[in-house]
Amino acid sequence: MVRLTRSEPALECRGVLHRYGRGAAAAEVLKGARLDLGPGELGVLRGPSGSGKTTLLSILGCLLTPTDGEVLVTGRRVDGLSAAGL
């Protein structure tokens, strides 16, 4: 069990970008997204349709892998973790 202080983020994303497609038809979303949530904090995502809310939630929930950037849960990077680790 990991115990965090109020000053340590429980969930972080740094410089997250996700690219759909390839080449000239590629669409980039979340260009450099950053988020820090501490233990017990509540966050709200809002924005117009197509702004990347669902993509960000999918990345934070480890359902999608960002094209660039990193996601950390309790200070630990999630990229490269096994299915059991996730």
Side-chain angles (χ1 to χ4, degrees):
M1 179 177 191
V2 176
R3 293 200 182 266
L4 297 173
T5 66
R6 287 294 242 176
S7 62
E8 297 174 286
L11 178 63
E12 304 171 72
C13 77
R14 301 178 185 154
V16 169
L17 174 133
H18 190 72
R19 186 175 298 118
Y20 289 102
R22 294 184 180 193
E28 293 183 344
V29 296
L30 306 174
K31 299 175 186 176
R34 181 174 175 85
L35 173 73
D36 294 327
L37 284 176
E41 283 187 316
L42 192 61
V44 175
L45 287 177
R46 60 180 227 175
S49 178
S51 63
K53 299 177 300 291
T54 300
T55 300
L56 179 60
L57 288 173
S58 295
I59 289 171
L60 294 176
C62 301
L63 299 172
L64 275 179
T65 303
T67 304
D68 197 13
E70 60 185 1
V71 175
L72 296 93
V73 176
T74 62
R76 190 170 164 200
R77 288 182 63 143
V78 297
D79 56 324
L81 289 177
S82 66
L86 289 172

